[in-house]
């Protein structure tokens, strides 16, 4: 999805544009010529701050937009805890990701996850 006045394409996008791609059996298919392996990852991961509210757009200590392909299945991420129980929040699922959402668009998808405590 591209949105006017958002990201690197700010001067070229004149109306919201969305394309839907198929993700089947671990493969993203864009068209008859372009397909590639899905690499699922969560785009936003964070914990509650000691006080107040934070936006998930802010790359600060408690929460961040993690839009980076290395934060996928099997990654270990260590976060500080400022509230009892950590109050972990995870969302913004991607079917695949490069090195960030340079102009806002991404391959968003549905997802489920499980946690594993050590």
């Amino acid at each position: 999805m591209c949105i006017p006045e958002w990201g690197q394409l700010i001067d070229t996008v004149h109306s919201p544009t969305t394309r839907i791609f198929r993700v089947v059996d671990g493969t993203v298919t864009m068209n008859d010529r372009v397909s590639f392996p899905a690499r699922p990852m969560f785009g936003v991961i964070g914990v509650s701050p000691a006080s107040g509210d934070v936006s998930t757009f802010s790359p600060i200590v408690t929460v961040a937009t993690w839009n980076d392909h290395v934060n996928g299945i099997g990654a270990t991420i260590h976060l500080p805890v400022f509230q009892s129980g950590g109050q972990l929040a995870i969302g913004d699922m991607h079917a695949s990701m490069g090195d960030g959402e340079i102009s806002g668009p991404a391959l968003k998808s549905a997802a489920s996850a499980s946690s594993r405590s050590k």
Side-chain angles (χ1 to χ4, degrees), residues 12-13 26 28 33 38 42 47 49 51 55 64 81 87 90 92-93 107 117:
T12 60
V13 176
V28 178
R33 297 178 317 219
F42 290 104
V47 295
S51 64
S55 166
V81 176
Q87 299 184 8
I90 299 175
D92 189 27
M93 184 63 195
L107 295 172
S117 299

Side-chain angles (χ1 to χ4, degrees), residues 43-49 53-66 79-80 82 87-91:
V44 174
I45 303 171
V47 295
S48 292
D53 298 325
V54 295
S55 166
T56 59
F57 282 113
S58 303
I60 60 173
V61 172
T62 59
V63 66
T65 299
W66 289 80
L79 298 170
F82 301 98
Q87 299 184 8
L88 178 67
I90 299 175

Side-chain angles (χ1 to χ4, degrees), residues 4-50:
E5 299 184 26
W6 177 261
Q8 298 296 324
L9 301 175
I10 192 168
D11 295 328
T12 60
V13 176
H14 303 291
S15 64
T17 304
T18 301
R19 290 190 58 198
I20 298 174
F21 305 116
R22 292 177 45 86
V23 181
V24 178
D25 296 330
T27 300
V28 178
T29 302
M30 297 180 82
N31 57 42
D32 291 340
R33 297 178 317 219
V34 179
S35 64
F36 50 91
R39 294 189 310 184
M41 52 79 65
F42 290 104
V44 174
I45 303 171
V47 295
S48 292

